[in-house]
Amino acid sequence: MSTPSAAAGNVVENLENAGRLVDQHIKADQSFWELSGQLTITTHQTSNASGNTDRDYPAVQSYWPALESMPFLGEVNCTPLPPELVQAFENMQCNCAVGLMPLIARAWLTIDSTIYIWSYEDGKDLAYFDGLNEVILTAGLLKPKEGVFQEHIEYLLCLTTPVEIVVLGVSFTGSPSDPYSEMHLQPEPLFNLPSDNVNMLSVLGSPEGRIFLAGKDGCLYEVVYQAEEGWFSSKCRKVNHSVSRLSFLVPSFLTFSEDPLLQIVIDGSRHILYTRSQSGTIQVYDLGLDGHSLSRVDSMQQGSMVQRACYAARSMDQSLFKPIVHMAIIPMSDSSTLHLMAVTQAGVRFYFTTTPNGIHGRPSLLAMVHVRLPPGHSPSSTIPKLGSTVHQSFYRRGTLLLSSSMMEDRDQLWIMDPDMFPFQPTVIESVISRPLEGHTWAIAEAIQPGDLEAVASLTPLPPLVVTQHVRPPRRFILLTTQGCYVITRLRPVDQLQSLFETSKGAAGDAVQSFFALHKEVQACAMALILATSPNQQLAFWATEAFFKYGGEPHIVFPGSGGMYPLGGGGGIVTSTPMTPLAQQQYSTPVHGQTPSSLPHPYNSSVVMNTPGSYGNLQGTAGSAGALGRAVVGPEVVLSGKHDGLCRYLARLLRPLWNEQVAVFYKPPGDMQAEQVVSAYTSEELSAFMEQMYSLKCFIDLNSRLLSALSSRPGSSASPANIHQRVLSYMRPEGMVTTSPNQVQTTLLEKYKADAQVYEQNSLHNICSLVTQCCESLSLWKLVCEHELHVVAEGLSQQERQQLVATTFRALIVSSRPLISSVISALLNRYAGDVNMTESLSSRLLEVAPSLYSQDDAIASKARELVTVARTIQNREEQLQRLKESVMYYSKVISRINLPSVCELCRDLKFYSGIVELALCAAGVKDRKNLAIHFYKSGQPQQDVNGQAAYIERQRCYSIVTSTLQQLLVQEQPAKRPSSVPAQPGPPSPMVERQQPSDPHEEFDELLTMCLRSDDELFHVTLYSWMITAPVNLTDRLVQIRTPYIEPFLKHMVASQQQDILMFLNLLWRYYEKNKNYSAAAKILDQLANIQSPNLTLDQRVEYISRAVMCAKSCNLATSGSSIGEFLHELEDKMEVARIQLNIVEAVKSLQPQTSNTRAAVEMLTRELMDISKLYGDFADPFQLSECKLSIIHCAGHYDSILVESLWTEIIDKEVALAKKQSVENQMQGVYTKLIQLGQVYIHSERFFPLEHIISVLEKYSCQQHWRVDFVYSTLHKVGVSLQTLFDIYNRLFKSKLPFWQFIHQPLSIIYSLHCFYRDNPSLIPAYERSAFKAMVLDAISVYLVELHTATPSAAGDLQMKFRQLQTHIQGLYMDRDR
């Protein structure tokens, strides 16, 4: 299959662009104000106030009269009390108490010693417990500690009486849709504790299963229980946390308090407990980081609260600020810095924090930081005041319910919440009131699925408009004397639905006003919720409103007074006049603004350091571009339809967009490796898919959303292109008209057309993303249905790690290779099962056609052929199937997992398939051959495309080289099975005998296949691998005969710095193997002279020696003059190199070794030097006489004085070395040196001055008492002829040098001559004896005359010896002559 085309590449880019839009809209939904910022709280040391302006509690109807009929509450249901309870009231004697248990959808009522529990939804399933003898004061439903009770006990029911505390077990039977349909109370108490005559007025459990009680004595108690009794603790006991640890020693009747505790609340997100007493004192307790400890932190009395409230709201009567009737926690899901809220009898709210300046940490104080007045306290308010009759209150997730007494049997319900006005910089609440029949006993909210998880969130949750598409309307339960009221608070989308139903369509002022109130983007997002609902009539109305009020895209320009729009009615341009309230609606804080100079996070202009909290508002939606970006040039403002679609899509994807698709899971007790399991269940994925397919269906049915794009040139979706084109319209030469009105009209048309083209391109991307989301989720659900943990076993470890690290965003937008691997693993799970594979392939084509195409089906067919081939025994038939599979794979090479397929071929020893597929994939991924150009250009970093192509090709080639390496390092094949048959008889014809394969033969075969390729870059990769292979393959490399090996080696030599020596060595060896001796000699010469610390002098000399040999071989083959000159040059270099070696040895032998000598050795071994440098820098400074002699001899520089002086120095040095040794050792040292040097210079008379050498040696012979024959015998052994020696000695005698007189041995030379003549006559050749005899006898005559004139004492003996010698020579030669 070919590589992805430009269109396919654009698809990925378009998905990424749409994904970025989703990111931006998710971020926009997270850009809501933190509650402390909305209340402009600056520090915990002071308090401020709000609620005293009309803006705090706006009357929507006064701005949009058409919305006067818009409902805020749904149907109110009132379920009467069960008749059994009404009858029981008639028999009440002492006390009754009531309450709600929203966790299990129950209400409870105690009458004397009996408790009744029933369903507040329908008044049924009445249960009671009458096993107590005392009056029940209060009751509480609690969550038990884990591991203490049996599994069927889901909750605990704690009952308190004046004398005891009883804990009962509660269990349920029901269906998955209604798990609490039937309630069962355990007849026997789990625990029973004495109350010590303390009336408990309230019971509350913590999320960790702790049980707290509020005592009438003002103390906080806890029932501590555990599974088994300990050494020093009972199974259940009561602890008083308000007194010391030794309080149990004091009798209860000695303790007293006049301030009973009325209420306990626990913040499970922060592990903080609060108590409220009858006098209004609030106390704070820290439960510890894990919620398992308790320590008192701080308290605040009602008087202090009133004082701070009066300071914050100076114009208000202090009677509004007391007494406190209720308190509620503000969990971290509501605010990260505000922790508690208290409500007074007048409906005033106090906000508290427990940390200084709102910093995160454990509680350390209790400070009131804000006072919010109830509605009706602004000067021009039309909302009536609540009065000071509030007796019941409830607060949760920003919604406050107050019940105030209108008369004895009638209450007024007040509801205040900010859901109508999200994303505001201040708290703006809608106010709803309605009468209630009866007196309100308790208020609670019905627990919806996900509510508990939301409350437990450690980050502030977004406003209701963000989640209303998945959150049902909130339902509040009010237990009164007349029964249980169930009141539904409508969501904004429910209000829009009601307006549609009231108006019988979208063409009404009410719907238009709703869009003006909520602004186009938010209203269009709500309309999409209804447009994708199964109610066809409602969907039609919502679709009509979406297109009618969604606006149009337009372009805005920066002007002197802000931004002014041109070309449409999008953005904030509406048909309704802009009101002050509308200008603030959905104003969004600037993302990421965090001034560092502000000292604490309470400042309203600070971005709170928690997710979901943002800083001060910097501008309204009317003065910014898309998603609040500042406009710095011509800016396209997209329509509400576009942004509403993006916002709704972002909200659908928000729960999973940035979440992992899978996680590692290790089953309990399973010692095996971790399994990969889906992060979402199939049921959860089905819910997401249902919403996504509904949106896709809406898009498919409304083709007008994607009208045809303009065919004008330059109609791309690039904002930069838009800016350039818009600016070009403003140039005078761009307008061919004279009418100003016509100019304006033409400009508006062009601006509008460009904005529409830009929006249409963006909408196409969004719709593509919606389709991709549907397919990706469907595919993932299909994989989960086939057991993801089993499918994941077919992935590599790296792919499993990548899968766990992948988010749904990446899976949908950019993880095509990973998806392909998962699909392959899914199909491989059923490999061999043809029917299942075909069924699964058809299912994949159905649910994910863009992720599993027809090409993928071809790849599946190829996999099946490989699977079948694995089961075939006949090798020829097996190879046929494998060749067919490779043919199929080659057609879809870009869609397969190449390493996995090649691994299958490797297992089946189908190596030609590996080479074919790898090279095919490399060619497909680099059709323009950018990689080879990148390689030959020296791999420049700026060539990004070439580098990418090079990397892709290397990944393909590595599959072949890894196969080669595997074969290379394999051990010898196992012992061949015996060929002896197990039973007599002919061999069975049914079984084909397969000879065991030899890895070396397979390696040779595969390497031969590789070398046949015409892919030059593959050859480069292959040769590089051969160089670095674990087994040395360089000998084989230089024997390769391909047109690519020599260019490869040359390229590596030219481009490498560190490994240049290795490649130069390979290059000369290659040339030598190919008998290109001239090129080999030149490379060797280059190696010898290269600058490298890794080469020793010996190696350089060896390179020169090899170069000489190659040059000589080339000289024999050719007769060119140039090679002869080169050979001569190499020989000269060789001679100089030898001298350099000698100098190195000489310097090393110098004693003592100094820094200079060591530095000299280092320099000499680093490189080859010319002869002048050797002499001037080393031989001469270090007085290396022998080396200097060899240098001048090599250079042909003759200076007799210099030569003689050097010989003198050489002899002097040898004599000095053995000066303290015996005479024999001295002679031996000189003898060795003369033999060594004589052999070198014997044929160079100018550099071997015999007369001077003999003179010096004879002098030392006299001085050191050497043997008389030592000098001439040594020189004769060197190769000096006797005739030459006789002549030199004779001349020395006749020269009569004064030295002999000086040492008092004037006859030393004559004596040496005597010995010479005496010992050597027999060595004279026969044809020279006559001449020699005459010459010697003449010389003896001269010597006798000379001795006759000498002093008798010195010459007498010599005369006699010479006469005897004369007679001897005459007789000797006569006898021999005869």
Side-chain angles (χ1 to χ4, degrees), residues 6 10 14 18 20 28 88 109 166 262 286 300 344 357 493 587 653 762 787 884 907 930 1028 1172 1328 1363:
N10 289 336
N14 293 341
R20 283 193 288 267
L109 169 67
V166 178
L262 301 181
D286 184 4
M300 179 176 283
T344 70
N357 294 330
V493 68
S587 53
L653 296 174
S762 181
E787 299 179 313
E884 291 178 15
D907 293 341
L930 299 177
T1028 59
S1172 299
E1328 294 181 1
R1363 288 190 183 97

PDB file of all heavy atoms in Angstrom, residues 6 10 14 18 20 28 88 109 166 262 286 300 344 357 493 587 653 762 787 884 907 930 1028 1172 1328 1363:
ATOM      1  N   ALA A   6      -1.215  13.281   0.496  1.00  0.00           N
ATOM      2  CA  ALA A   6      -1.310  14.609   1.108  1.00  0.00           C
ATOM      3  C   ALA A   6      -2.661  14.801   1.770  1.00  0.00           C
ATOM      4  O   ALA A   6      -2.779  15.408   2.836  1.00  0.00           O
ATOM      5  CB  ALA A   6      -1.064  15.680   0.053  1.00  0.00           C
ATOM      6  N   ASN A  10      -3.505  15.655   5.598  1.00  0.00           N
ATOM      7  CA  ASN A  10      -4.364  16.749   6.022  1.00  0.00           C
ATOM      8  C   ASN A  10      -5.429  16.274   6.995  1.00  0.00           C
ATOM      9  O   ASN A  10      -5.858  17.028   7.866  1.00  0.00           O
ATOM     10  CB  ASN A  10      -5.024  17.390   4.798  1.00  0.00           C
ATOM     11  CG  ASN A  10      -4.039  18.182   3.967  1.00  0.00           C
ATOM     12  OD1 ASN A  10      -3.015  18.629   4.480  1.00  0.00           O
ATOM     13  ND2 ASN A  10      -4.327  18.336   2.682  1.00  0.00           N
ATOM     14  N   ASN A  14      -6.092  18.048  10.346  1.00  0.00           N
ATOM     15  CA  ASN A  14      -7.412  18.592  10.666  1.00  0.00           C
ATOM     16  C   ASN A  14      -7.941  18.051  11.979  1.00  0.00           C
ATOM     17  O   ASN A  14      -8.569  18.777  12.758  1.00  0.00           O
ATOM     18  CB  ASN A  14      -8.392  18.256   9.534  1.00  0.00           C
ATOM     19  CG  ASN A  14      -8.042  18.977   8.240  1.00  0.00           C
ATOM     20  OD1 ASN A  14      -7.313  19.974   8.249  1.00  0.00           O
ATOM     21  ND2 ASN A  14      -8.541  18.479   7.126  1.00  0.00           N
ATOM     22  N   ALA A  18      -8.904  20.243  15.226  1.00  0.00           N
ATOM     23  CA  ALA A  18     -10.155  20.097  15.964  1.00  0.00           C
ATOM     24  C   ALA A  18      -9.896  19.701  17.410  1.00  0.00           C
ATOM     25  O   ALA A  18     -10.590  20.160  18.323  1.00  0.00           O
ATOM     26  CB  ALA A  18     -11.041  19.052  15.280  1.00  0.00           C
ATOM     27  N   ARG A  20      -7.346  20.577  19.163  1.00  0.00           N
ATOM     28  CA  ARG A  20      -6.941  21.783  19.880  1.00  0.00           C
ATOM     29  C   ARG A  20      -8.141  22.653  20.226  1.00  0.00           C
ATOM     30  O   ARG A  20      -8.169  23.294  21.293  1.00  0.00           O
ATOM     31  CB  ARG A  20      -5.933  22.565  19.044  1.00  0.00           C
ATOM     32  CG  ARG A  20      -4.534  21.970  19.074  1.00  0.00           C
ATOM     33  CD  ARG A  20      -3.509  22.933  18.513  1.00  0.00           C
ATOM     34  NE  ARG A  20      -3.640  23.068  17.062  1.00  0.00           N
ATOM     35  CZ  ARG A  20      -2.965  22.340  16.191  1.00  0.00           C
ATOM     36  NH1 ARG A  20      -2.112  21.436  16.631  1.00  0.00           N
ATOM     37  NH2 ARG A  20      -3.123  22.514  14.896  1.00  0.00           N
ATOM     38  N   ALA A  28     -11.780  26.520  28.581  1.00  0.00           N
ATOM     39  CA  ALA A  28     -12.731  27.600  28.836  1.00  0.00           C
ATOM     40  C   ALA A  28     -13.742  27.198  29.903  1.00  0.00           C
ATOM     41  O   ALA A  28     -14.118  28.007  30.760  1.00  0.00           O
ATOM     42  CB  ALA A  28     -13.446  27.982  27.543  1.00  0.00           C
ATOM     43  N   ALA A  88     -49.437   6.516  65.093  1.00  0.00           N
ATOM     44  CA  ALA A  88     -48.477   6.425  66.201  1.00  0.00           C
ATOM     45  C   ALA A  88     -48.342   7.737  66.933  1.00  0.00           C
ATOM     46  O   ALA A  88     -48.062   7.765  68.142  1.00  0.00           O
ATOM     47  CB  ALA A  88     -47.127   5.962  65.666  1.00  0.00           C
ATOM     48  N   LEU A 109     -38.361   8.667  61.715  1.00  0.00           N
ATOM     49  CA  LEU A 109     -39.138   9.334  62.760  1.00  0.00           C
ATOM     50  C   LEU A 109     -39.088   8.451  64.003  1.00  0.00           C
ATOM     51  O   LEU A 109     -39.275   7.237  63.913  1.00  0.00           O
ATOM     52  CB  LEU A 109     -40.591   9.521  62.300  1.00  0.00           C
ATOM     53  CG  LEU A 109     -41.598   9.967  63.361  1.00  0.00           C
ATOM     54  CD1 LEU A 109     -41.304  11.385  63.821  1.00  0.00           C
ATOM     55  CD2 LEU A 109     -43.026   9.868  62.823  1.00  0.00           C
ATOM     56  N   VAL A 166     -26.986   2.703  71.139  1.00  0.00           N
ATOM     57  CA  VAL A 166     -27.189   1.406  70.486  1.00  0.00           C
ATOM     58  C   VAL A 166     -26.804   1.543  69.016  1.00  0.00           C
ATOM     59  O   VAL A 166     -27.191   2.506  68.342  1.00  0.00           O
ATOM     60  CB  VAL A 166     -28.641   0.938  70.612  1.00  0.00           C
ATOM     61  CG1 VAL A 166     -28.835  -0.392  69.890  1.00  0.00           C
ATOM     62  CG2 VAL A 166     -29.030   0.816  72.079  1.00  0.00           C
ATOM     63  N   LEU A 262     -25.475  21.232  69.283  1.00  0.00           N
ATOM     64  CA  LEU A 262     -26.667  20.972  68.492  1.00  0.00           C
ATOM     65  C   LEU A 262     -26.367  20.321  67.138  1.00  0.00           C
ATOM     66  O   LEU A 262     -27.229  19.627  66.596  1.00  0.00           O
ATOM     67  CB  LEU A 262     -27.435  22.285  68.249  1.00  0.00           C
ATOM     68  CG  LEU A 262     -27.895  23.040  69.488  1.00  0.00           C
ATOM     69  CD1 LEU A 262     -28.654  24.287  69.071  1.00  0.00           C
ATOM     70  CD2 LEU A 262     -28.769  22.167  70.379  1.00  0.00           C
ATOM     71  N   ASP A 286      -9.361  18.987  64.102  1.00  0.00           N
ATOM     72  CA  ASP A 286      -8.563  18.418  63.010  1.00  0.00           C
ATOM     73  C   ASP A 286      -8.558  16.896  63.135  1.00  0.00           C
ATOM     74  O   ASP A 286      -8.116  16.349  64.157  1.00  0.00           O
ATOM     75  CB  ASP A 286      -7.130  18.967  63.067  1.00  0.00           C
ATOM     76  CG  ASP A 286      -6.279  18.483  61.905  1.00  0.00           C
ATOM     77  OD1 ASP A 286      -6.827  17.789  61.017  1.00  0.00           O
ATOM     78  OD2 ASP A 286      -5.080  18.791  61.888  1.00  0.00           O
ATOM     79  N   MET A 300     -14.908  29.878  67.799  1.00  0.00           N
ATOM     80  CA  MET A 300     -15.354  31.274  67.701  1.00  0.00           C
ATOM     81  C   MET A 300     -16.763  31.364  68.271  1.00  0.00           C
ATOM     82  O   MET A 300     -17.644  30.595  67.891  1.00  0.00           O
ATOM     83  CB  MET A 300     -15.323  31.756  66.251  1.00  0.00           C
ATOM     84  CG  MET A 300     -15.809  33.191  66.075  1.00  0.00           C
ATOM     85  SD  MET A 300     -15.671  33.797  64.374  1.00  0.00           S
ATOM     86  CE  MET A 300     -13.926  34.118  64.302  1.00  0.00           C
ATOM     87  N   THR A 344     -27.691  32.369  59.709  1.00  0.00           N
ATOM     88  CA  THR A 344     -28.387  32.921  60.871  1.00  0.00           C
ATOM     89  C   THR A 344     -29.888  32.807  60.692  1.00  0.00           C
ATOM     90  O   THR A 344     -30.391  32.431  59.625  1.00  0.00           O
ATOM     91  CB  THR A 344     -28.000  34.389  61.096  1.00  0.00           C
ATOM     92  OG1 THR A 344     -28.563  35.174  60.031  1.00  0.00           O
ATOM     93  CG2 THR A 344     -26.492  34.550  61.104  1.00  0.00           C
ATOM     94  N   ASN A 357      -4.768  33.066  55.525  1.00  0.00           N
ATOM     95  CA  ASN A 357      -4.723  33.552  54.150  1.00  0.00           C
ATOM     96  C   ASN A 357      -5.084  32.473  53.131  1.00  0.00           C
ATOM     97  O   ASN A 357      -4.674  32.537  51.968  1.00  0.00           O
ATOM     98  CB  ASN A 357      -3.338  34.120  53.814  1.00  0.00           C
ATOM     99  CG  ASN A 357      -3.040  35.367  54.619  1.00  0.00           C
ATOM    100  OD1 ASN A 357      -3.958  36.110  54.969  1.00  0.00           O
ATOM    101  ND2 ASN A 357      -1.779  35.601  54.914  1.00  0.00           N
ATOM    102  N   VAL A 493     -30.939  23.900  30.851  1.00  0.00           N
ATOM    103  CA  VAL A 493     -31.452  23.203  29.671  1.00  0.00           C
ATOM    104  C   VAL A 493     -32.901  22.780  29.884  1.00  0.00           C
ATOM    105  O   VAL A 493     -33.690  22.737  28.920  1.00  0.00           O
ATOM    106  CB  VAL A 493     -30.553  21.991  29.342  1.00  0.00           C
ATOM    107  CG1 VAL A 493     -30.663  20.906  30.407  1.00  0.00           C
ATOM    108  CG2 VAL A 493     -30.878  21.431  27.974  1.00  0.00           C
ATOM    109  N   SER A 587     -18.718  36.096  31.339  1.00  0.00           N
ATOM    110  CA  SER A 587     -17.389  36.716  31.203  1.00  0.00           C
ATOM    111  C   SER A 587     -16.373  35.772  31.816  1.00  0.00           C
ATOM    112  O   SER A 587     -16.567  35.259  32.903  1.00  0.00           O
ATOM    113  CB  SER A 587     -17.364  38.071  31.910  1.00  0.00           C
ATOM    114  OG  SER A 587     -17.811  37.956  33.238  1.00  0.00           O
ATOM    115  N   LEU A 653     -16.845  15.087  25.771  1.00  0.00           N
ATOM    116  CA  LEU A 653     -15.567  14.374  25.860  1.00  0.00           C
ATOM    117  C   LEU A 653     -14.807  14.692  27.134  1.00  0.00           C
ATOM    118  O   LEU A 653     -13.822  14.012  27.445  1.00  0.00           O
ATOM    119  CB  LEU A 653     -14.697  14.736  24.656  1.00  0.00           C
ATOM    120  CG  LEU A 653     -15.233  14.305  23.285  1.00  0.00           C
ATOM    121  CD1 LEU A 653     -14.345  14.855  22.190  1.00  0.00           C
ATOM    122  CD2 LEU A 653     -15.308  12.791  23.193  1.00  0.00           C
ATOM    123  N   SER A 762     -13.385  25.072   9.712  1.00  0.00           N
ATOM    124  CA  SER A 762     -13.290  24.617  11.107  1.00  0.00           C
ATOM    125  C   SER A 762     -14.389  23.627  11.444  1.00  0.00           C
ATOM    126  O   SER A 762     -14.163  22.632  12.144  1.00  0.00           O
ATOM    127  CB  SER A 762     -13.331  25.825  12.045  1.00  0.00           C
ATOM    128  OG  SER A 762     -13.209  25.428  13.387  1.00  0.00           O
ATOM    129  N   GLU A 787     -12.061  -9.005  25.884  1.00  0.00           N
ATOM    130  CA  GLU A 787     -11.104  -9.142  26.988  1.00  0.00           C
ATOM    131  C   GLU A 787      -9.779  -8.457  26.652  1.00  0.00           C
ATOM    132  O   GLU A 787      -8.865  -9.053  26.088  1.00  0.00           O
ATOM    133  CB  GLU A 787     -10.871 -10.613  27.334  1.00  0.00           C
ATOM    134  CG  GLU A 787     -12.139 -11.325  27.797  1.00  0.00           C
ATOM    135  CD  GLU A 787     -11.874 -12.788  28.108  1.00  0.00           C
ATOM    136  OE1 GLU A 787     -11.215 -13.446  27.266  1.00  0.00           O
ATOM    137  OE2 GLU A 787     -12.290 -13.255  29.173  1.00  0.00           O
ATOM    138  N   GLU A 884       2.831 -15.877  -0.724  1.00  0.00           N
ATOM    139  CA  GLU A 884       1.539 -15.239  -0.950  1.00  0.00           C
ATOM    140  C   GLU A 884       1.258 -14.191   0.123  1.00  0.00           C
ATOM    141  O   GLU A 884       0.758 -13.099  -0.168  1.00  0.00           O
ATOM    142  CB  GLU A 884       0.430 -16.289  -0.958  1.00  0.00           C
ATOM    143  CG  GLU A 884       0.463 -17.232  -2.153  1.00  0.00           C
ATOM    144  CD  GLU A 884      -0.643 -18.272  -2.075  1.00  0.00           C
ATOM    145  OE1 GLU A 884      -1.578 -18.080  -1.261  1.00  0.00           O
ATOM    146  OE2 GLU A 884      -0.589 -19.270  -2.816  1.00  0.00           O
ATOM    147  N   ASP A 907      10.470 -16.577  12.556  1.00  0.00           N
ATOM    148  CA  ASP A 907      10.165 -17.842  13.225  1.00  0.00           C
ATOM    149  C   ASP A 907      10.051 -18.985  12.226  1.00  0.00           C
ATOM    150  O   ASP A 907      10.409 -20.124  12.537  1.00  0.00           O
ATOM    151  CB  ASP A 907       8.866 -17.713  14.014  1.00  0.00           C
ATOM    152  CG  ASP A 907       8.997 -16.754  15.195  1.00  0.00           C
ATOM    153  OD1 ASP A 907      10.152 -16.482  15.601  1.00  0.00           O
ATOM    154  OD2 ASP A 907       7.967 -16.273  15.685  1.00  0.00           O
ATOM    155  N   LEU A 930      14.520  10.909  -0.198  1.00  0.00           N
ATOM    156  CA  LEU A 930      15.108  12.009   0.575  1.00  0.00           C
ATOM    157  C   LEU A 930      16.201  11.506   1.498  1.00  0.00           C
ATOM    158  O   LEU A 930      17.146  12.230   1.811  1.00  0.00           O
ATOM    159  CB  LEU A 930      14.015  12.701   1.400  1.00  0.00           C
ATOM    160  CG  LEU A 930      12.870  13.330   0.615  1.00  0.00           C
ATOM    161  CD1 LEU A 930      11.844  13.913   1.579  1.00  0.00           C
ATOM    162  CD2 LEU A 930      13.387  14.412  -0.323  1.00  0.00           C
ATOM    163  N   THR A1028      30.093  -3.234  13.079  1.00  0.00           N
ATOM    164  CA  THR A1028      29.831  -3.235  14.527  1.00  0.00           C
ATOM    165  C   THR A1028      29.259  -4.553  15.017  1.00  0.00           C
ATOM    166  O   THR A1028      28.830  -4.634  16.171  1.00  0.00           O
ATOM    167  CB  THR A1028      28.849  -2.104  14.866  1.00  0.00           C
ATOM    168  OG1 THR A1028      27.631  -2.297  14.134  1.00  0.00           O
ATOM    169  CG2 THR A1028      29.439  -0.745  14.510  1.00  0.00           C
ATOM    170  N   SER A1172      65.003  16.743   9.540  1.00  0.00           N
ATOM    171  CA  SER A1172      65.574  17.950  10.142  1.00  0.00           C
ATOM    172  C   SER A1172      65.081  18.138  11.560  1.00  0.00           C
ATOM    173  O   SER A1172      65.842  18.496  12.470  1.00  0.00           O
ATOM    174  CB  SER A1172      65.224  19.173   9.290  1.00  0.00           C
ATOM    175  OG  SER A1172      65.740  19.050   7.999  1.00  0.00           O
ATOM    176  N   GLU A1328      97.782 -12.794  -3.357  1.00  0.00           N
ATOM    177  CA  GLU A1328      98.291 -11.529  -2.857  1.00  0.00           C
ATOM    178  C   GLU A1328      99.505 -11.719  -1.963  1.00  0.00           C
ATOM    179  O   GLU A1328     100.053 -10.748  -1.442  1.00  0.00           O
ATOM    180  CB  GLU A1328      97.187 -10.807  -2.051  1.00  0.00           C
ATOM    181  CG  GLU A1328      96.002 -10.365  -2.878  1.00  0.00           C
ATOM    182  CD  GLU A1328      94.980  -9.642  -2.019  1.00  0.00           C
ATOM    183  OE1 GLU A1328      95.243  -9.499  -0.801  1.00  0.00           O
ATOM    184  OE2 GLU A1328      93.921  -9.224  -2.539  1.00  0.00           O
ATOM    185  N   ARG A1363     112.633  -9.018  14.246  1.00  0.00           N
ATOM    186  CA  ARG A1363     113.552  -9.841  13.451  1.00  0.00           C
ATOM    187  C   ARG A1363     113.027 -11.281  13.385  1.00  0.00           C
ATOM    188  O   ARG A1363     113.119 -11.933  12.335  1.00  0.00           O
ATOM    189  CB  ARG A1363     114.955  -9.812  14.079  1.00  0.00           C
ATOM    190  CG  ARG A1363     115.650  -8.458  13.881  1.00  0.00           C
ATOM    191  CD  ARG A1363     117.124  -8.560  14.299  1.00  0.00           C
ATOM    192  NE  ARG A1363     117.788  -7.266  14.194  1.00  0.00           N
ATOM    193  CZ  ARG A1363     117.983  -6.427  15.170  1.00  0.00           C
ATOM    194  NH1 ARG A1363     117.588  -6.775  16.386  1.00  0.00           N
ATOM    195  NH2 ARG A1363     118.589  -5.269  14.963  1.00  0.00           N
TER     196      ARG A1363
END
